[in-house]
Amino acid sequence: MAAEVREAIVKTGAEVEDGVLATMPRSLKYTAAQIRSIIESYKSSDISTIINNLSNIRNIEDVILYITILSYLVGNNIKGNGMLEAYSREFEKMDSISASKLRHLLTNVLGEEAPINIHVNKILKIIEFLKHKKGTYLWILKEKRLDRFEKDVREFVFENNGGYSIDRGIKLFIRIFIDKNTIPLAYKIAYNKNEVRKYKIHGDFYTTLVAMRSGSFEDVDSPTASKIKQRVARALICRSRKERCDPLRIRLKSVRGLVRTIAYLSGDPIAFERGAYHIGKNYCARLRCEECPIRNVCKKYIFIEVK
């Protein structure tokens, strides 16, 4: 049953557009589709053939810069409702990258109180490095292994820094370029299932909520999963007796490893993450069970709360 739940979540994720692409400016979204089409057509060819075809795409570097700056912002804990939409609108207004234009973009997205000049200087440094040292998109094309790709993104975009927020930014960057349904520039990873399965999802609130409430963990053999199953069993007994029962509260950090295992077992962690996030945000958190795309297989453990 748990496998069926995971399969349903992956199916939902495959049908849902990634939020980054969904909010991308129309012109860049068209460019992303061109990149995806070329990679799909020439993925078995030598890299020079792919480069020759990609070189004819207008705005290809703008797509990379768009994702790079967005990843930087997310990695520096800049988020919130409407951030993607605001960033997209402001980026679309820029006809080139300069300090003054970046400052205007960041001011409108982040507000006057943010350390704008610090961010501007760091972003310009990143862009300069990628353009003149690595080739804006060439280095991504050459990536073959997920662990190496992650290491390079951490070095090139985040100056080898770590931390919770930076890991989110790195995962955003990687996810976009290793997913066949988005912009699979890192095609040697994107079309290698074994490499894609190594992608460790972030494990945000919505994804965790769905992973727990749906019962997608019930066939996992681990101490954390066993503990959750025991707590769920007690909660079900309490409710079957129609007693007054407290919610089953689960700390997000305590099950992040379990949620990542569930995503791995799904066979497509990227689609699982996208599907679970979509379900969590639009259905599970609002208790819209009857409209939920996984309603026929979900265990509906709505007494679970994630903190």
Side-chain angles (χ1 to χ4, degrees):
M1 187 66 174
E4 293 178 10
V5 174
R6 293 192 293 268
E7 184 179 347
I9 294 172
V10 168
K11 182 176 183 294
T12 299
E15 296 170 350
V16 173
E17 186 175 30
D18 190 285
V20 172
L21 255 67
T23 54
M24 184 178 278
R26 185 177 299 178
S27 61
L28 296 188
K29 198 171 181 180
Y30 176 73
T31 302
Q34 287 181 296
I35 296 171
R36 187 165 59 248
S37 177
I38 286 174
I39 295 295
E40 174 63 32
S41 299
Y42 295 100
K43 62 181 182 292
S44 299
S45 304
D46 59 272
I47 193 169
S48 60
T49 300
I50 295 175
I51 292 172
N52 287 337
N53 281 275
L54 290 176
S55 65
N56 295 320
I57 297 180
R58 185 170 172 264
N59 294 337
I60 185 170
E61 290 196 353
D62 290 343
V63 169
I64 312 305
L65 296 180
Y66 181 89
I67 300 299
T68 301
I69 297 171
L70 178 60
S71 299
Y72 170 87
L73 295 178
V74 170
N76 281 273
N77 204 29
I78 297 165
K79 54 187 179 179
N81 293 331
M83 194 277 273
L84 284 177
E85 291 80 1
Y87 171 69
S88 176
R89 286 194 304 271
E90 295 303 322
F91 191 94
E92 192 170 22
K93 296 175 185 177
M94 295 198 303
D95 54 7
S96 62
I97 300 289
S98 67
S100 60
K101 291 176 181 178
L102 264 179
R103 191 173 294 109
H104 184 268
L105 178 150
L106 295 178
T107 300
N108 288 339
V109 173
L110 311 182
E112 297 283 352
E113 297 180 0
I116 301 298
N117 287 332
I118 293 175
H119 291 313
V120 167
N121 291 335
K122 286 187 175 182
I123 290 171
L124 287 175
K125 182 180 177 182
I126 292 166
I127 292 172
E128 182 74 12
F129 175 79
L130 292 181
K131 276 189 172 183
H132 299 291
K133 297 292 185 181
K134 293 296 175 181
T136 307
Y137 63 88
L138 295 179
W139 68 279
I140 302 175
L141 276 175
K142 296 174 182 177
E143 297 287 352
K144 298 178 181 179
R145 292 174 49 192
L146 187 62
D147 57 350
R148 181 71 215 188
F149 190 20
E150 181 173 343
K151 184 178 179 181
D152 286 345
V153 174
R154 189 180 299 277
E155 177 185 349
F156 301 163
V157 183
F158 296 100
E159 299 179 316
N160 278 323
N161 290 315
Y164 181 78
S165 294
I166 285 177
D167 286 347
R168 287 183 69 240
I170 291 171
K171 289 184 185 301
L172 186 155
F173 191 100
I174 289 173
R175 183 186 79 232
I176 294 299
F177 293 119
I178 68 168
D179 184 1
K180 293 184 291 186
N181 298 308
T182 53
I183 314 172
L185 267 176
Y187 68 101
K188 291 181 180 179
I189 299 174
Y191 290 91
N192 183 334
K193 290 183 178 180
N194 291 330
E195 285 297 315
V196 172
R197 285 192 75 179
K198 295 176 184 177
Y199 172 78
K200 291 183 180 180
I201 69 172
H202 177 63
D204 62 275
F205 169 79
Y206 290 123
T207 302
T208 302
L209 186 68
V210 171
M212 296 296 102
R213 285 184 172 179
S214 67
S216 65
F217 60 88
E218 292 189 329
D219 62 349
V220 178
D221 183 16
S222 74
T224 302
S226 296
K227 184 177 179 180
I228 298 298
K229 283 182 274 189
Q230 290 170 5
R231 294 179 66 192
V232 166
R234 289 196 294 268
L236 289 172
I237 291 172
C238 178
R239 282 156 179 78
S240 70
R241 293 172 177 170
K242 297 183 179 180
E243 299 175 357
R244 182 177 178 179
C245 309
D246 292 329
L248 196 170
R249 295 184 175 90
I250 296 174
R251 292 181 62 83
L252 188 149
K253 290 183 179 180
S254 71
V255 294
R256 180 164 282 132
L258 173 59
V259 174
R260 287 174 173 170
T261 297
I262 294 166
Y264 174 82
L265 291 174
S266 76
D268 190 340
I270 295 176
F272 179 91
E273 181 177 43
R274 186 162 56 238
Y277 181 88
H278 172 77
I279 293 165
K281 183 178 181 180
N282 297 293
Y283 301 97
C284 198
R286 303 178 184 183
L287 296 181
R288 295 170 58 190
C289 296
E290 296 308 313
E291 305 167 60
C292 179
I294 65 167
R295 60 187 176 277
N296 293 329
V297 292
C298 179
K299 285 298 187 70
K300 299 182 178 65
Y301 294 147
I302 59 174
F303 50 80
I304 291 178
E305 294 182 358
V306 174
K307 299 295 183 181

